[in-house]
């Protein structure tokens, strides 16, 4: 387990420089081991034990005696999945809800810049409100954002990753020196066991860019300019389970998307009407926005939220950490993007508006189909 536990990553980080000395939160039957750990965990480096002290400790002496007695010892190896599990059980997470209707998000400074830039434009109404920003450690910031589910009795959410690609041109450059990663191969095989080539299986890994391209091609990202990443239904709908993330990764056709969105909306026509109105307003605002035209949006999302027992709905742009301002053109002005043309290396196009247009078409199709059923 982790030496500290906290309800958020920000609080966990704060535990390290806090002057309060570390103490074990778990039951430990080995007093000698605990003594060594306490000496090693002293906040001030000058107070920490030296190696020669450890060599003379009762804990190590006992260990040596056990080895002399022929006790078999084996190397302890922790794989990435086990590490993520340990971190999860340590309650490390990027979000923390407050009691006043906001969320604290630990993120990079680029996301702060994007929120401030877009909030200064006509797109402000399509973003969670930015309350304030705090500086965190490790070149991170803590954004206090509006909690879009606050006050809802039974919030239902759908996270839609926007664009025709989920990797940046910079990532392509960096990937040239990448080595195959076993964790990326494992993720790929979890989604589609037959996706990796025999060569990739023999090597025991794939590079990150290969995995991201696979995700895009296996889902509706390449064909429709968006993919549904997650659906969360309220407990009010006990008879209807939300689609699993693994299944969503292979939702590629318009018909499959229709089925997922229909399941998310629980065949409530009023929700379709409300979301369709907001999507059309968003489309018009994006098309007229200079801020939108001069930024590239990679792996950002539209978050759909509605109250399962009410009529409140909301569509917001979120996850802006990888969104960046475009490079300057020959006149020294930021390059303007169409957001609706195919991407080729060097044009920086992301296909965001292609995704919005296809989302609108999906909701229009549902509205037409459900009107015919009435």
């Amino acid at each position: 387990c982790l030496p500290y536990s906290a309800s958020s990553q920000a609080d966990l980080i704060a535990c390290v420089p806090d002057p309060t000395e570390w103490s074990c939160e778990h039951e430990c039957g080995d007093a000698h081991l605990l003594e060594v750990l306490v000496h090693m965990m002293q906040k001030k480096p000058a107070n920490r034990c030296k190696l020669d002290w450890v060599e003379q400790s009762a804990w190590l002496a006992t260990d040596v005696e056990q080895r002399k007695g022929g006790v078999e010892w084996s190397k302890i190896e922790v794989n990435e999945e086990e590490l993520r599990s340990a971190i999860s059980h340590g309650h490390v997470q990027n979000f923390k809800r407050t009691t006043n209707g906001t969320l604290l998000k630990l993120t990079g400074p680029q996301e702060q810049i994007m929120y401030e830039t877009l909030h200064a434009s006509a797109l402000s109404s399509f973003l969670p409100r930015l309350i304030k920003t705090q500086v965190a450690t490790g070149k991170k910031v803590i954004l206090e954002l509006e909690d879009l589910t606050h006050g809802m009795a039974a919030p239902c959410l759908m996270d839609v990753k926007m664009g025709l690609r989920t990797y940046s041109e910079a990532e392509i450059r960096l990937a040239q020196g990448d080595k195959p990663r076993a964790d990326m191969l494992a993720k790929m095989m979890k989604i589609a066991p037959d996706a990796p080539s025999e060569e990739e299986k023999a090597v025991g890994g794939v590079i990150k860019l290969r995995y991201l391209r696979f995700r895009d091609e296996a889902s509706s990202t390449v064909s429709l300019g968006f993919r549904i990443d997650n659906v969360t239904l309220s407990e009010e709908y006990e008879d209807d389970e939300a689609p699993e993330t693994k299944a969503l990764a292979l939702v590629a056709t318009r018909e499959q998307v229709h089925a997922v969105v229909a399941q998310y909306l629980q065949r409530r026509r009023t929700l379709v009407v409300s979301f369709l109105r907001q999507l059309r307003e968003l489309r018009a605002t994006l098309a007229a926005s200079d801020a939108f035209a001069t930024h590239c949006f990679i792996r950002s999302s539209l978050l759909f939220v509605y109250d399962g027992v009410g009529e409140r709905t909301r569509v917001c742009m979120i996850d802006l950490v990888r969104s960046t301002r475009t490079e300057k053109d020959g006149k020294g002005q930021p390059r303007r993007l169409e957001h609706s043309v195919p991407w080729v290396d060097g044009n920086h196009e992301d296909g965001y508006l292609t995704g919005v247009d296809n989302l609108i078409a999906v909701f229009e199709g549902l509205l037409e189909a459900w009107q015919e059923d009435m």
Side-chain angles (χ1 to χ4, degrees):
C1 62
L2 298 177
Y4 298 104
S5 62
S7 59
S8 72
Q9 192 166 18
D11 290 346
L12 190 69
I13 291 171
C15 291
V16 179
D18 188 283
T20 305
E21 291 295 348
W22 175 83
S23 62
C24 184
E25 296 184 1
H26 307 280
E27 185 176 333
C28 180
D30 191 336
H32 295 320
L33 170 61
L34 190 57
E35 179 187 29
V36 172
L37 291 176
V38 169
H39 278 76
M40 286 182 168
M41 293 288 291
Q42 293 296 300
K43 295 296 179 72
K44 294 182 179 179
N47 294 343
R48 292 178 201 150
C49 58
K50 302 296 188 289
L51 187 57
D52 56 356
W53 183 92
V54 178
E55 290 175 342
Q56 301 299 321
S57 68
W59 172 73
L60 192 60
T62 302
D63 178 86
V64 171
E65 286 300 316
Q66 288 179 323
R67 287 176 183 267
K68 288 179 180 179
V71 176
E72 292 292 329
W73 297 87
S74 59
K75 181 180 179 181
I76 298 175
E77 295 183 351
V78 180
N79 61 37
E80 187 161 339
E81 184 177 351
E82 291 170 328
L83 180 60
R84 284 197 299 268
S85 176
I87 292 174
S88 174
H89 284 84
H91 305 294
V92 182
Q93 47 194 339
N94 289 333
F95 290 94
K96 178 183 179 181
R97 276 191 167 84
T98 70
T99 57
N100 56 351
T102 62
L103 289 173
L104 299 179
K105 181 179 183 181
L106 183 71
T107 185
Q110 178 58 27
E111 188 158 26
Q112 175 190 353
I113 293 171
M114 286 301 302
Y115 269 108
E116 291 173 347
T117 300
L118 297 182
H119 267 299
S121 73
L123 289 168
S124 182
S125 60
F126 294 99
L127 297 164
R129 285 183 297 110
L130 177 61
I131 313 301
K132 65 179 180 180
T133 304
Q134 305 173 42
V135 177
T137 59
K139 298 181 180 180
K140 296 283 188 177
V141 296
I142 300 173
L143 304 182
E144 185 171 2
L145 298 163
E146 172 189 10
D147 180 358
L148 299 175
T149 67
H150 181 66
M152 290 189 177
C156 299
L157 299 88
M158 181 170 70
D159 186 317
V160 181
K161 199 69 66 183
M162 301 301 297
L164 290 164
R165 59 189 170 101
T166 57
Y167 49 88
S168 67
E169 294 185 1
E171 284 178 301
I172 296 176
R173 309 288 180 268
L174 292 172
Q176 294 175 356
D178 271 3
K179 294 181 179 180
R181 291 170 49 178
D183 61 319
M184 293 288 111
L185 177 63
K187 285 183 177 181
M188 183 184 292
M189 294 188 69
K190 186 176 182 180
I191 295 171
D194 297 331
S197 66
E198 292 303 320
E199 182 181 356
E200 288 168 336
K201 292 179 181 177
V203 171
V206 297
I207 64 172
K208 182 179 180 181
L209 184 59
R210 160 77 167 111
Y211 170 73
L212 291 176
R213 282 177 166 163
F214 155 74
R215 283 291 307 270
D216 290 354
E217 292 165 0
S219 68
S220 58
T221 292
V222 171
S223 59
L224 298 178
F226 70 85
R227 75 164 177 250
I228 301 174
D229 253 18
N230 185 57
V231 172
T232 303
L233 294 176
S234 165
E235 293 180 357
E236 295 291 325
Y237 302 114
E238 294 180 356
D239 295 334
D240 295 282
E241 293 185 2
E244 295 183 357
T245 303
K246 178 181 176 181
L248 289 175
L250 297 175
V251 171
T253 67
R254 191 180 295 270
E255 291 73 20
Q256 290 171 328
V257 171
H258 267 262
V260 172
V261 176
Q263 185 177 2
Y264 165 66
L265 296 175
Q266 297 296 301
R267 298 188 63 83
R268 290 175 59 182
R269 184 176 177 279
T270 55
L271 296 179
V272 181
V273 172
S274 180
F275 280 133
L276 187 54
R277 174 184 56 78
Q278 292 178 66
L279 283 172
R280 288 168 175 164
E281 289 177 1
L282 173 63
R283 176 62 169 85
T285 306
L286 289 172
S289 171
D290 286 335
F292 180 68
T294 54
H295 286 82
C296 179
F297 294 79
I298 300 296
R299 293 212 283 279
S300 69
S301 293
L302 282 181
L303 184 66
F304 292 74
V305 184
Y306 71 86
D307 192 336
V309 295
E311 298 298 326
R312 288 176 54 191
T313 64
R314 189 83 180 271
V315 179
C316 275
M317 301 171 69
I318 62 168
D319 293 340
L320 305 174
V321 69
R322 293 180 180 84
S323 302
T324 56
R325 193 172 184 84
T326 57
E327 298 175 350
K328 293 183 178 180
D329 59 20
K331 298 179 181 180
Q333 299 298 317
R335 178 188 298 186
R336 298 180 70 85
L337 302 180
E338 296 292 331
H339 296 288
S340 58
V341 299
W343 170 75
V344 293
D345 194 6
N347 74 355
H348 301 283
E349 290 289 350
D350 54 24
Y352 197 106
L353 286 182
T354 300
V356 174
D357 287 339
N358 281 315
L359 269 173
I360 289 174
V362 167
F363 277 81
E364 287 176 339
L366 286 174
L367 183 60
E368 182 179 351
W370 291 354
Q371 281 179 330
E372 292 176 355
D373 291 343
M374 292 180 65

